[in-house]
Amino acid sequence: MLKISLTYFWVPFLTLTLVSFNLFSCDSLSYCFAQSDSRSDTPNNVQAGSLISKAKIYIEKNNFPMAVRHLNEALKKSPRQAEAYLLRGEALDRMGLPMKALQDLNKYVELRPQDPEGFIQRADTNNFNSDHKAAVEDYNRALRILPNSRAALLGRGLAFTAMENYEMAIQDYNRLLLRYPRDHEAWANLGMAYHLSGNNQSAIENLLKALEFEPDREWRIKIDRIIQQLSAAIVSEKPRKRGPTKFHRNPD
């Protein structure tokens, strides 16, 4: 069966096949830089809340080492700042340090066990590092707190797809689409789940819906290309018509 992959990064969420972010390695100089002392950048008289606010700006700019540096200082000043653990977990994960990220996310969940965001982010980290079973468990926890969480349903569908449990993935995407019927990411993920399960006709139908709602021109081109490939595969798989196997002479 033709296997087609379409890859979206998960921020914003839309991952049709799992790939790692293009991040720093675990022994990167960036991490050492982030851990180094930098009093000139993070003076001692700055409050923890201000350091966290600056870290958010660095994360938005994809400057994760500087974000980690500020969050380190914030946690030195206020070790029970839950938000700092969540943000540092995100930054460390984006730097390619998932084990260190999970330590921070575990601490956040410990401090705020009723916040689904901690479970979702920890699940995302595990999902992108191929621990899909652990990811599903955390998505389940998040959904018990927030039953219609888009991020948790999309992520759990992704984990089920990676585990080749396509039926459960399809159920999650359909559940999400009941609440968010114009969600192009869910339509595309649903289409790919159908494709991977061997149902190319349903895959095309859902990818066409994704194409209808997809705002990004580059991804529209990619989705359209996949639809064409699947259509060609369906045509090639259809049995060819055969002519008669025996001819009768005209008695005249």
Side-chain angles (χ1 to χ4, degrees), residues 89-195:
E90 178 186 350
L92 289 169
D93 189 37
R94 299 290 294 276
M95 289 172 65
L97 298 163
M99 295 301 103
K100 291 184 179 295
L102 287 171
Q103 291 176 11
D104 277 351
L105 296 173
N106 289 340
K107 184 65 175 179
Y108 181 81
V109 168
E110 175 189 328
L111 292 170
R112 293 188 180 174
Q114 295 305 313
D115 183 4
E117 182 61 28
F119 294 114
I120 291 170
Q121 191 160 310
R122 189 168 69 179
D124 291 349
T125 299
N126 280 318
N127 222 4
F128 274 108
N129 289 280
S130 300
D131 192 350
H132 307 303
K133 183 177 179 181
V136 168
E137 290 174 357
D138 268 346
Y139 289 130
N140 290 342
R141 293 184 180 103
L143 287 164
R144 282 196 287 270
I145 300 168
L146 191 64
N148 293 312
S149 168
R150 175 185 181 273
L153 286 171
L154 200 62
R156 193 172 69 175
L158 190 66
F160 282 137
T161 300
M163 296 165 70
E164 299 184 2
N165 190 342
Y166 305 121
E167 183 179 351
M168 293 297 291
I170 289 167
Q171 286 182 22
D172 273 351
Y173 296 137
N174 279 324
R175 176 177 164 185
L176 191 158
L177 287 164
L178 285 174
R179 188 170 182 83
Y180 307 101
R182 299 176 64 87
D183 193 313
H184 59 279
E185 300 169 6
W187 283 114
N189 277 8
L190 180 58
M192 293 307 293
Y194 272 118
H195 162 59

